[in-house]
Amino acid sequence: MKGTAILFQERNITFIEDVEHSFFEEIKEQCDCKHCNCRINNHPVDFGSVSPVFWHEDEIDWDYGY
């Protein structure tokens, strides 16, 4: 199942679209860590401190708002 992971950071909100639910679970397990790490397209990414993390099934319709 693919969808959008929504990460709330200290000063940002990051939307990562078209990812497997397992990716969301990996990030969710790292909530409140100072260095939330994952791999996107085989590249390591450090999002810093992330809390909370939400999941939205499918893609977000940006024209409509969700």
Side-chain angles (χ1 to χ4, degrees):
M1 164 175 40
K2 288 195 172 188
T4 300
I6 305 167
L7 288 61
F8 287 82
Q9 298 157 287
E10 192 172 304
R11 297 181 185 199
N12 297 311
I13 299 173
T14 301
F15 296 87
I16 307 171
E17 294 185 302
D18 198 35
V19 293
E20 295 290 337
H21 192 265
S22 58
F23 173 88
F24 163 75
E25 290 295 335
E26 180 182 336
I27 297 295
K28 185 178 170 184
E29 288 177 11
Q30 298 181 58
C31 272
D32 297 323
C33 291
K34 290 187 178 186
H35 295 283
C36 182
N37 296 295
C38 68
R39 293 186 75 78
I40 298 177
N41 296 329
N42 271 342
H43 299 292
V45 178
D46 183 343
F47 290 105
S49 180
V50 174
S51 180
V53 179
F54 294 100
W55 175 254
H56 185 279
E57 278 189 41
D58 303 318
E59 293 181 14
I60 295 176
D61 182 348
W62 294 106
D63 292 331
Y64 187 73
Y66 58 87

